Short mmCIF file of all heavy atoms in Angstrom, two decimals:
data_model
loop_
_atom_site.label_atom_id
_atom_site.label_comp_id
_atom_site.label_asym_id
_atom_site.label_seq_id
_atom_site.Cartn_x
_atom_site.Cartn_y
_atom_site.Cartn_z
N ASN A 102 95.32 98.12 73.21
CA ASN A 102 94.57 99.15 72.50
C ASN A 102 95.54 100.01 71.71
O ASN A 102 96.36 100.71 72.28
CB ASN A 102 93.80 100.01 73.51
CG ASN A 102 92.81 100.94 72.82
OD1 ASN A 102 92.88 101.17 71.61
ND2 ASN A 102 91.90 101.49 73.61
N SER A 103 95.45 99.96 70.41
CA SER A 103 96.36 100.70 69.55
C SER A 103 95.79 102.02 69.06
O SER A 103 96.38 102.70 68.24
CB SER A 103 96.75 99.85 68.32
OG SER A 103 95.59 99.50 67.58
N SER A 104 94.61 102.41 69.58
CA SER A 104 93.98 103.65 69.14
C SER A 104 94.69 104.85 69.74
O SER A 104 95.43 104.73 70.72
CB SER A 104 92.51 103.67 69.56
OG SER A 104 92.40 103.87 70.96
N PRO A 105 94.47 106.04 69.19
CA PRO A 105 95.10 107.25 69.75
C PRO A 105 94.67 107.54 71.18
O PRO A 105 95.35 108.27 71.89
CB PRO A 105 94.62 108.36 68.79
CG PRO A 105 94.26 107.65 67.53
CD PRO A 105 93.74 106.31 67.96
N ASN A 106 93.54 106.99 71.61
CA ASN A 106 93.05 107.22 72.95
C ASN A 106 93.45 106.12 73.92
O ASN A 106 92.83 105.93 74.96
CB ASN A 106 91.52 107.37 72.95
CG ASN A 106 91.06 108.61 72.21
OD1 ASN A 106 91.73 109.64 72.27
ND2 ASN A 106 89.95 108.51 71.50
N ALA A 107 94.49 105.38 73.58
CA ALA A 107 94.90 104.25 74.42
C ALA A 107 95.33 104.69 75.81
O ALA A 107 95.23 103.92 76.76
CB ALA A 107 96.05 103.50 73.75
N PHE A 108 95.79 105.94 75.93
CA PHE A 108 96.27 106.40 77.22
C PHE A 108 95.12 106.68 78.19
O PHE A 108 95.32 106.85 79.38
CB PHE A 108 97.11 107.68 77.06
CG PHE A 108 96.34 108.86 76.56
CD1 PHE A 108 95.77 109.75 77.45
CD2 PHE A 108 96.20 109.10 75.20
CE1 PHE A 108 95.06 110.85 77.00
CE2 PHE A 108 95.50 110.19 74.75
CZ PHE A 108 94.92 111.07 75.64
N LYS A 109 93.90 106.73 77.70
CA LYS A 109 92.74 107.01 78.54
C LYS A 109 92.29 105.74 79.25
O LYS A 109 91.28 105.13 78.90
CB LYS A 109 91.62 107.63 77.72
CG LYS A 109 91.96 109.00 77.16
CD LYS A 109 90.78 109.62 76.43
CE LYS A 109 91.13 111.02 75.92
NZ LYS A 109 89.99 111.63 75.19
N THR A 110 93.07 105.33 80.22
CA THR A 110 92.78 104.10 80.96
C THR A 110 91.73 104.36 82.04
O THR A 110 91.75 105.40 82.69
CB THR A 110 94.07 103.57 81.60
OG1 THR A 110 95.05 103.36 80.59
CG2 THR A 110 93.82 102.26 82.35
N ASP A 111 90.81 103.42 82.19
CA ASP A 111 89.82 103.50 83.26
C ASP A 111 90.45 102.90 84.52
O ASP A 111 90.28 101.71 84.81
CB ASP A 111 88.56 102.75 82.86
CG ASP A 111 87.45 102.87 83.90
OD1 ASP A 111 87.55 103.78 84.74
OD2 ASP A 111 86.52 102.05 83.88
N TYR A 112 91.19 103.71 85.25
CA TYR A 112 91.96 103.22 86.39
C TYR A 112 91.04 102.79 87.53
O TYR A 112 90.02 103.43 87.81
CB TYR A 112 92.92 104.29 86.88
CG TYR A 112 94.03 104.61 85.90
CD1 TYR A 112 94.00 105.79 85.16
CD2 TYR A 112 95.09 103.74 85.71
CE1 TYR A 112 95.01 106.09 84.26
CE2 TYR A 112 96.11 104.02 84.82
CZ TYR A 112 96.06 105.20 84.10
OH TYR A 112 97.05 105.49 83.21
N LYS A 113 91.44 101.71 88.20
CA LYS A 113 90.70 101.19 89.34
C LYS A 113 91.53 101.36 90.61
O LYS A 113 92.75 101.13 90.59
CB LYS A 113 90.37 99.72 89.14
CG LYS A 113 89.58 99.42 87.87
CD LYS A 113 88.22 100.10 87.86
CE LYS A 113 87.44 99.72 86.60
NZ LYS A 113 86.14 100.44 86.52
N ALA A 114 90.87 101.74 91.68
CA ALA A 114 91.55 101.90 92.96
C ALA A 114 91.91 100.53 93.53
O ALA A 114 91.28 99.51 93.23
CB ALA A 114 90.68 102.66 93.94
N HIS A 115 92.95 100.52 94.37
CA HIS A 115 93.38 99.28 95.01
C HIS A 115 92.39 98.84 96.08
O HIS A 115 92.14 97.65 96.27
CB HIS A 115 94.77 99.49 95.63
CG HIS A 115 95.34 98.28 96.28
ND1 HIS A 115 95.72 97.15 95.57
CD2 HIS A 115 95.60 98.00 97.59
CE1 HIS A 115 96.19 96.24 96.40
NE2 HIS A 115 96.11 96.72 97.63
N PHE A 116 91.80 99.81 96.78
CA PHE A 116 90.83 99.51 97.83
C PHE A 116 89.94 100.72 98.03
O PHE A 116 90.32 101.85 97.70
CB PHE A 116 91.54 99.15 99.14
CG PHE A 116 90.74 98.26 100.06
CD1 PHE A 116 90.73 96.88 99.89
CD2 PHE A 116 89.97 98.80 101.08
CE1 PHE A 116 89.98 96.06 100.72
CE2 PHE A 116 89.23 97.98 101.93
CZ PHE A 116 89.24 96.61 101.75
#
Side-chain angles (χ1 to χ4, degrees):
N102 190 344
S103 59
S104 73
N106 294 325
F108 66 92
K109 294 184 178 179
T110 303
D111 184 17
Y112 293 105
K113 304 298 183 184
H115 182 67
F116 206 84

